[in-house]
Amino acid sequence: MCGIVGIYHLDTPKPVDPARVAGMCDALAHRGPDGEGVWTAPGVGLGHRRLSIIDLAGSPQPMASSDGRAVLVFNGEIYNFRELRRELAAGGVHFRTDGDSEVILAAWQRWGTDCLQHLQGMFAFAIYDLEARSLFLARDRLGVKPLFYTTLSDGSVIFGSELKALLAHPLLRREADPLAVEDYMTWGYVPDHRAILKNVHKLAAGHFLLLRHGKPLPAPSEWWDVSFAGRRAGRRAALEEELHALLEEAVRSRMVADVPLGAFLSGGVDSSSVVAFMAKAGAQPVRTCSIGFDVTGLDETAYAQKIAQRFGTDHVTRRVSPDDFEAVEALAGMFDEPFADASALPTWRVCQLAREHVTVALSGDGADEALAGYRRHVFQRAEDRVRGALPASMRASVFGRLGALYPKADWAPRPLRAKSTLLALAGDSAQGYARALAYATPEMREGLYSPEFQRLRGEYRAEQPLEALMRRAPARSGLDRAQYADLKFWLPGDILTKIDRTSMAVGLEAREPLLDHRLVEFAACLPESLRVRGRQGKWLMKKAMQRHLPEDILYRPKQGFVTPIAQWFRGPLRDAAREIVHGKGLAASGWFDQRHLGHLVEEHVSGRSDHARLLWQLLMLERSFTTLGLV
């Protein structure tokens, strides 16, 4: 796991200053504390920060191919590199190292852009081909590893693993994109189709860019997608065995490392499943770690301890105080872009704990998206049945009117939030799911924005890209489309961004075996009844894991990392909440209605309403603006 940067001149091959590339690398020092390197040639410069995981001494980067024609910088891991190495060696390739980096170079030279189809893993990499004078940028199928890029006024394209690498270049223009703010206020993160700064882009998951001197910047090319259009036939027992085998292989393949390896363990289905297969595959006890909370109802450590005892793991636990709010400033610097998923804080803490014991940690992320594990999937399926039974005109008229009249109750459990359900049923499946995912509904956002911001936003609404994605999805049903949106939109923008930044901040490599693309492709073709049955999501996975895990782990209510931000904003963060209204960040932008913000803050502080999630969202936006120098 590493950090990569680069500078590439599209027009004339101007000299690239190695010190400038090194400066961009220095901004990513946390991603690669074990080594650094810079390589330049006419019109191009590549930089690398290394966290050594495989072939600790033998694979320094930037790495040149054996014939000197191509140079690579690479962030990630290729899990099938040994099989590929044998295949390429049989075709005459001679390898000088024992790692996966040289295998990528050889695969590029053998297959060109088609090399991506042969790679199983998580990655973002750049290859400069000296003979073709081309730069090849690629990102893995699900977007586990990030890649930012932009064009500058001098005609160059710069790229890096994080936005802070681009910020290190003096020609980068720092201007907030109001459409990205609309996206952020809707979803709680800036999705991959946009960045918080104008003219900065993220290479989308499953896409590549092939740049050539003398030619304009091309549009990214999609090289992988997941299809929900098919359905696997066969008996349930056979499909269960196939799923079990895919789960086991996904975990086993991610246990290759030349450094200490462990796992995050929350005591939920997904992390417990990963630990179960690790214990089966390994000769030594698995090293596991958990974070607990000194708040009743938020602590899951008893479940994690039960799994640790069941599989004899070397388990460590650390409790986080409910007053762990001092990390707000650190989070803003960690993510660069505003990021409002409050579980980032405990995720960072568990990464810190893991790094004290291991260099690589396996997580359970991805199963909910791939196998329909969220409660919203259950609701989406049920709501689609109602939509299918009533004409659209009737739903829009009846449910729309009732939803507009029904009182708002965001504090209530989802089944009791009749306003949200009614408004969701008034629209089509994509519109309903957008409401289910949104941090702030359209109605909430209208009250937040100033007239100036509404003018800048124009006709754009953040729901539009998500709804369009769902409508063109290769899918059969509303549940299919919801999962497709999760995998293509929510997963890379929120979940994978969170684990990448929090793990890399402490020099820890996190691996997500449940996002093995073969597992994801298999799950996408399962009949709906094997994904969701009744009120149970991830139904077939739970059946497959019954041989390993007890029922109180498999079927207990989903919890996840929860942070007591409601209490914080009525206590130690009360002043910070009020600073949102009058501070130099959001107030200086002129994009928000300060009077309305002040009303929300005082309602929450007094205990009359719970606006904790919205206040956290605004606080992280304000901190991001300050960190990025936008105010």
Side-chain angles (χ1 to χ4, degrees):
M1 195 65 63
C2 308
I4 65 172
V5 304
I7 300 174
Y8 179 80
H9 285 279
L10 278 170
D11 43 23
T12 56
K14 303 173 185 176
V16 172
D17 183 358
R20 183 152 291 173
V21 180
M24 294 172 67
C25 271
D26 289 344
L28 302 180
H30 55 285
R31 296 185 72 96
D34 298 330
E36 60 182 310
V38 170
W39 174 87
T40 63
V44 64
L46 302 176
H48 188 261
R49 293 290 311 209
R50 188 180 187 203
L51 176 63
S52 300
I53 303 295
I54 294 173
D55 192 19
L56 303 186
S59 295
Q61 294 185 44
M63 176 181 284
S65 59
S66 57
D67 60 7
R69 172 180 165 174
V71 180
L72 165 83
V73 285
F74 162 50
N75 169 31
E77 302 290 347
I78 306 302
Y79 303 121
N80 66 330
F81 79 96
R82 287 180 175 147
E83 296 90 331
L84 279 176
R85 179 190 176 98
R86 287 193 291 269
E87 179 181 353
L88 291 162
V93 177
H94 298 285
F95 290 95
R96 302 160 295 159
T97 66
D98 295 324
D100 52 356
S101 301
E102 193 178 9
V103 172
I104 297 175
L105 275 168
W108 158 257
Q109 293 189 299
R110 172 68 60 85
W111 296 301
T113 59
D114 286 343
C115 70
L116 297 169
Q117 304 295 341
H118 297 261
L119 304 179
Q120 297 172 16
M122 55 179 185
F123 53 82
F125 63 76
I127 296 177
Y128 183 71
D129 190 312
L130 283 86
E131 186 173 301
R133 298 172 63 213
S134 65
L135 180 69
F136 180 50
L137 301 176
R139 192 174 178 201
D140 64 65
R141 293 170 177 84
L142 277 305
V144 179
K145 293 293 101 187
L147 194 62
F148 290 76
Y149 69 97
T150 190
T151 54
L152 300 178
S153 58
D154 65 353
S156 64
V157 174
I158 62 172
F159 63 87
S161 297
E162 296 180 28
L163 181 57
K164 54 176 57 71
L166 277 59
L167 293 167
H169 198 292
L171 293 183
L172 181 72
R173 184 182 177 189
R174 302 190 186 202
E175 182 181 356
D177 186 344
L179 301 189
V181 173
E182 159 73 1
D183 286 332
Y184 169 75
M185 291 307 303
T186 305
W187 311 119
Y189 57 93
V190 182
D192 275 9
H193 62 258
R194 212 178 306 281
I196 192 62
L197 297 182
K198 281 187 177 180
N199 301 317
V200 172
H201 311 280
K202 301 164 190 169
L203 184 60
H207 283 69
F208 71 79
L209 273 171
L210 185 59
L211 291 71
R212 299 184 187 277
H213 289 305
K215 294 187 178 181
L217 180 69
S221 299
E222 186 175 51
W223 66 271
W224 181 85
D225 195 11
V226 59
S227 175
F228 285 80
R231 288 291 185 266
R232 287 293 300 269
R235 298 175 62 86
R236 194 213 86 185
L239 293 172
E240 180 183 318
E241 288 305 315
E242 188 171 354
L243 175 59
H244 185 276
L246 285 166
L247 290 166
E248 185 170 9
E249 169 57 21
V251 173
R252 186 201 61 76
S253 67
R254 283 156 179 79
M255 293 178 66
V256 177
D258 296 332
V259 293
L261 178 143
F264 304 127
L265 179 58
S266 69
V269 175
D270 305 334
S271 65
S272 299
S273 297
V274 170
V275 168
F277 287 121
M278 290 178 75
K280 181 179 179 181
Q284 301 297 323
V286 180
R287 298 173 180 176
T288 55
C289 57
S290 299
I291 287 289
F293 296 92
D294 294 328
V295 177
T296 302
L298 300 186
D299 188 70
E300 293 185 285
T301 53
Y303 296 105
Q305 186 63 41
K306 182 172 184 175
I307 294 299
Q309 291 174 350
R310 185 181 185 94
F311 295 106
T313 76
D314 181 3
H315 188 63
V316 290
T317 300
R318 179 171 295 160
R319 293 193 178 273
V320 176
S321 165
D323 295 330
D324 190 28
F325 54 85
E326 295 179 356
V328 171
E329 303 298 334
L331 287 177
M334 203 178 298
F335 285 88
D336 298 324
E337 294 190 297
F339 190 80
D341 186 337
S343 67
L345 198 157
T347 302
W348 179 38
R349 293 306 190 201
V350 79
C351 287
Q352 289 177 315
L353 176 60
R355 190 63 180 91
E356 294 173 11
H357 304 274
V358 299
T359 310
V360 177
L362 273 61
S363 83
D365 291 308
D368 287 320
E369 292 80 7
L371 288 147
Y374 290 118
R375 281 174 289 185
R376 63 179 181 253
H377 293 142
V378 176
F379 289 120
Q380 179 74 2
R381 191 168 185 239
E383 289 170 1
D384 271 343
R385 289 175 174 171
V386 175
R387 292 186 186 99
L390 297 172
S393 58
M394 179 184 293
R395 287 189 288 104
S397 175
V398 175
F399 293 134
R401 289 177 183 176
L402 288 173
L405 294 171
Y406 203 90
K408 189 170 179 290
D410 285 344
W411 49 268
R414 173 71 187 271
L416 301 181
R417 296 184 212 164
K419 185 180 186 72
S420 298
T421 301
L422 289 168
L423 290 173
L425 288 171
D428 64 19
S429 183
Q431 292 168 330
Y433 198 63
R435 280 190 170 272
L437 282 178
Y439 267 52
T441 64
E443 298 81 16
M444 293 171 63
R445 302 197 306 273
E446 291 308 310
L448 291 171
Y449 296 148
S450 70
E452 170 63 12
F453 185 85
Q454 293 186 18
R455 182 188 68 79
L456 292 171
R457 181 186 58 165
E459 297 300 315
Y460 177 74
R461 298 296 180 271
E463 291 86 357
Q464 292 164 357
L466 178 76
E467 292 169 7
L469 181 72
M470 291 183 67
R471 289 173 185 140
R472 67 173 182 266
R476 291 188 179 192
S477 69
L479 177 61
D480 291 347
R481 292 181 174 86
Q483 286 187 252
Y484 185 82
D486 281 349
L487 288 167
K488 305 289 282 190
F489 196 97
W490 156 271
L491 183 73
D494 187 304
I495 304 301
L496 295 178
T497 295
K498 176 177 63 179
I499 191 64
D500 176 79
R501 302 303 191 278
T502 54
S503 61
M504 285 284 88
V506 297
L508 176 76
E509 175 173 299
R511 298 178 178 177
E512 294 81 12
L514 303 184
L515 284 176
D516 186 294
H517 74 277
R518 296 162 297 182
L519 174 61
V520 170
E521 290 169 348
F522 170 81
C525 292
L526 286 173
E528 279 194 25
S529 62
L530 297 186
R531 286 177 268 154
V532 173
R533 186 168 296 190
R535 289 187 168 271
Q536 283 291 334
K538 276 187 305 204
W539 189 83
L540 190 64
M541 178 179 176
K542 291 174 182 177
K543 291 297 179 184
M545 293 307 298
Q546 280 182 340
R547 69 194 79 175
H548 302 292
L549 302 176
E551 289 207 354
D552 62 342
I553 296 293
L554 288 169
Y555 297 105
R556 71 182 178 91
K558 186 174 179 61
Q559 186 167 329
F561 273 151
V562 182
T563 306
I565 54 175
Q567 298 95 304
W568 290 354
F569 282 124
R570 294 190 180 111
L573 288 184
R574 181 172 54 244
D575 291 341
R578 287 175 170 145
E579 286 175 12
I580 294 170
V581 185
H582 305 294
K584 63 181 181 180
L586 302 189
S589 74
W591 290 354
F592 291 86
D593 185 325
Q594 289 179 265
R595 185 174 180 178
H596 185 66
L597 293 186
H599 180 68
L600 291 174
V601 170
E602 296 310 319
E603 271 197 338
H604 183 87
V605 169
S606 68
R608 296 194 303 272
S609 295
D610 185 353
H611 300 304
R613 191 161 80 163
L614 182 58
L615 293 180
W616 180 262
Q617 196 173 359
L618 290 164
L619 178 63
M620 297 309 294
L621 179 61
E622 192 272 338
R623 293 294 192 269
S624 177
F625 271 27
T626 303
T627 299
L628 294 171
L630 299 176
V631 294

